[in-house]
Amino acid sequence: MTETDRYAVLTRVGPGTPMGKYMRYFWHPVAASVEVRDDPVRVKLLGEELVLFRTPDGKLGLVQERCPHRGASLSCGMIEEGAIRCAYHGWKFDLDGKCVDTPAERPESKLKDRVAIPAYEAMELGGLVWAWLGKKPAALLPRFEYLVGEQYDHDMTISTMPCNWLQIAENNMDPHHVEYLHMMYTNYVFKRQGKPLLPMKHHAKVDFDLFEHGIMKRRLWEGDSEESEEWRVGHPQLWPGTLLVTYPNGVLQAQIRVPRDDGNTTIYWYNARPRPAGQAPRKEVPVAENPFLGPDGKFLNENLNGQDMMVMLTQGVIVDRSLENLGESDKGVVMYRRVLLEQIERIERGEEPMGVVRDPAENTPFIPLPVETHVDYDLQGVDAAPGERWDRMATKAAE
Ligand code: FES
Ligand SMILES: [Fe+2]
């Protein structure tokens, strides 16, 4: 296989592709819980166009969007007890995708017995709806501490990015970009705006370690001791492409990258905020849009997440990796690509990839993850506290 072929393997996620098969060993979020209320929601995951809905008794349905009769979208359908009914001619599908009613046909018609649509398992955890598009039986949905830890309140923003998932995930296997994109470039922007500059830091070294749920990324800043948490502990890139990172205000942020198809990715910027003592737990997990363009159509280039989105998108829809010139500082990216290809080889040998959770004992009460608890520089990656926009979204969701 040529280098170019290998990259094609890593970026294509549709059904039947090697990476598509790998991705189907993991649960992926398809919506925030608050987005799934009275109406069906169109979602796209791993190249499959689907409809997500909540039945009156609270069950979740996730089925192919297209009605197999004459193609109307079930996103316009009528939700019923344990089923969804197409708006066009009333065909009804249960949560397993089986057609159970074709009301325009004669009662003795056997047509419905021959018809079914793909239907998938969906479940909620941490204010997200997660889907399993893989083979059954489904693996356990990992109960990572950042999702279920009782010490946290959660909120999230969502970005829909018109580019391939891999270049987004590779960003985190590239610690050096923090020094340039998030420090040097920020200061370039701040200087032009007459704002005070950030202190610069320099990487002394970086390293990466494989563990069951992903790859630990560690960095040592010049002048720090090897006892610094960023070197001793670091933070993980979880399979298949979720970053977990701590911010100076104590917020733990999971950046969950979900491939919608080969050229589009949804990022859930999922925040776990330590709840102040004596404060009641928040009942819902609010959600807001995380934009990458300002009203003037320019990239939002002043904060960490906006800067990352700027460079990921301008790399192209799918990075042409045959044109790259990699250096020593790209060793994390190289490792990540190699390890992903090894996971695909495992599947081809009939084994499961790393990080698939099948043992309930491992998943109970939660799976702890190594992550540094302290970083001493503030790159404005997450709001200091949930502000007005969350309240606005919560109000909207409750309407
Ligand atoms: S197109 Fe759905 S019932 Fe006819
Ligand atoms: Fe970044």
Side-chain angles (χ1 to χ4, degrees):
M1 202 191 287
T2 67
E3 201 76 346
T4 309
D5 292 341
R6 270 198 284 277
Y7 297 148
V9 163
L10 290 175
T11 51
R12 305 313 196 258
V13 296
T17 62
M19 181 49 85
K21 287 183 194 165
Y22 171 66
M23 286 280 177
R24 284 165 173 78
Y25 276 90
F26 297 92
W27 288 84
H28 300 274
V30 283
S33 287
V34 295
E35 296 176 305
V36 192
R37 293 189 182 259
D38 301 330
D39 292 314
V41 181
R42 293 179 74 211
V43 298
K44 194 165 187 189
L45 177 59
L46 304 178
E48 299 191 45
E49 290 171 343
L50 306 168
V51 165
L52 173 67
F53 56 97
R54 195 188 296 275
T55 62
D57 58 348
K59 294 201 179 94
L60 289 169
L62 181 64
V63 299
Q64 169 185 295
E65 179 188 357
R66 194 92 15 234
C67 174
H69 177 217
R70 284 172 47 208
S73 170
L74 291 174
S75 66
C76 312
M78 300 170 268
I79 299 173
E80 300 187 3
E81 203 73 44
I84 189 163
R85 191 184 283 279
C86 180
Y88 202 176
H89 312 94
W91 284 27
K92 178 174 164 177
F93 303 90
D94 68 15
L95 300 185
D96 295 323
K98 193 172 159 354
C99 183
V100 291
D101 195 15
T102 51
E105 301 301 310
R106 288 195 308 276
E108 64 274 22
S109 166
K110 297 272 183 276
L111 178 56
K112 67 175 184 304
D113 302 336
R114 302 200 302 267
V115 178
I117 52 176
Y120 299 109
E121 211 171 315
M123 68 169 79
E124 289 176 288
L125 189 69
L128 287 162
V129 179
W130 303 75
W132 175 266
L133 265 56
K135 287 189 196 142
K136 292 183 176 168
L140 299 175
L141 172 53
R143 291 172 54 82
F144 291 125
E145 187 176 11
Y146 78 84
L147 281 167
V148 301
E150 289 176 3
Q151 69 274 40
Y152 298 123
D153 275 334
H154 296 102
D155 54 61
M156 73 182 102
T157 59
I158 297 178
S159 307
T160 307
M161 304 272 291
C163 69
N164 182 259
W165 78 278
L166 183 62
Q167 63 214 54
I168 300 178
E170 284 179 347
N171 171 272
N172 300 123
M173 298 305 294
D174 163 19
H176 292 276
H177 87 272
V178 169
E179 183 176 331
Y180 300 98
L181 177 65
H182 299 313
M183 293 178 178
M184 179 191 278
Y185 176 79
T186 302
N187 280 345
Y188 171 77
V189 173
F190 282 7
K191 192 171 177 191
R192 286 155 54 120
Q193 296 173 341
K195 289 185 181 169
L197 304 189
L198 300 175
M200 283 292 296
K201 290 170 81 85
H202 301 286
H203 286 85
K205 56 183 174 179
V206 299
D207 214 345
F208 305 88
D209 309 297
L210 201 56
F211 78 115
E212 181 57 22
H213 293 289
I215 297 173
M216 292 302 293
K217 171 176 81 181
R218 299 182 293 117
R219 59 160 61 89
L220 182 68
W221 296 106
E222 269 179 20
D224 280 2
S225 117
E226 298 214 346
E227 285 307 301
S228 74
E229 272 199 306
E230 286 184 86
W231 177 250
R232 206 167 33 81
V233 185
H235 55 262
Q237 170 98 311
L238 303 171
W239 309 124
T242 292
L243 173 77
L244 186 66
V245 66
T246 303
Y247 283 99
N249 54 13
V251 177
L252 205 52
Q253 183 177 74
Q255 299 174 12
I256 310 169
R257 291 63 176 265
V258 182
R260 292 165 59 78
D261 56 28
D262 295 345
N264 292 280
T265 306
T266 304
I267 308 180
Y268 295 84
W269 310 85
Y270 184 89
N271 300 317
R273 299 176 191 267
R275 187 182 316 108
Q279 195 165 301
R282 177 184 268 157
K283 291 199 181 70
E284 272 190 339
V285 179
V287 58
E289 186 72 22
N290 190 344
F292 47 83
L293 297 179
D296 58 0
K298 292 187 176 166
F299 285 107
L300 295 169
N301 63 357
E302 285 183 48
N303 70 32
L304 181 130
N305 294 339
Q307 290 166 345
D308 279 327
M309 290 195 269
M310 174 181 79
V311 294
M312 293 161 183
L313 283 169
T314 55
Q315 284 177 296
V317 175
I318 302 180
V319 175
D320 184 348
R321 292 174 172 82
S322 68
L323 302 178
E324 291 175 335
N325 292 283
L326 301 182
E328 169 69 23
S329 62
D330 297 302
K331 72 176 187 179
V333 172
V334 172
M335 174 188 180
Y336 185 47
R337 294 175 185 173
R338 176 176 53 75
V339 174
L340 286 173
L341 287 167
E342 285 170 7
Q343 303 310 300
I344 289 172
E345 285 165 14
R346 279 185 178 225
I347 295 169
E348 286 166 355
R349 289 198 301 268
E351 299 166 22
E352 292 209 316
M354 296 175 78
V356 175
V357 181
R358 298 272 182 195
D359 178 4
E362 185 196 346
N363 213 24
T364 313
F366 57 75
I367 301 174
L369 290 168
V371 58
E372 66 241 316
T373 57
H374 177 73
V375 288
D376 64 358
Y377 49 93
D378 189 358
L379 299 170
Q380 302 166 54
V382 68
D383 297 343
E388 196 203 333
R389 63 184 175 146
W390 304 110
D391 302 336
R392 214 169 32 233
M393 191 65 204
T395 313
K396 188 167 167 245
E399 275 167 4

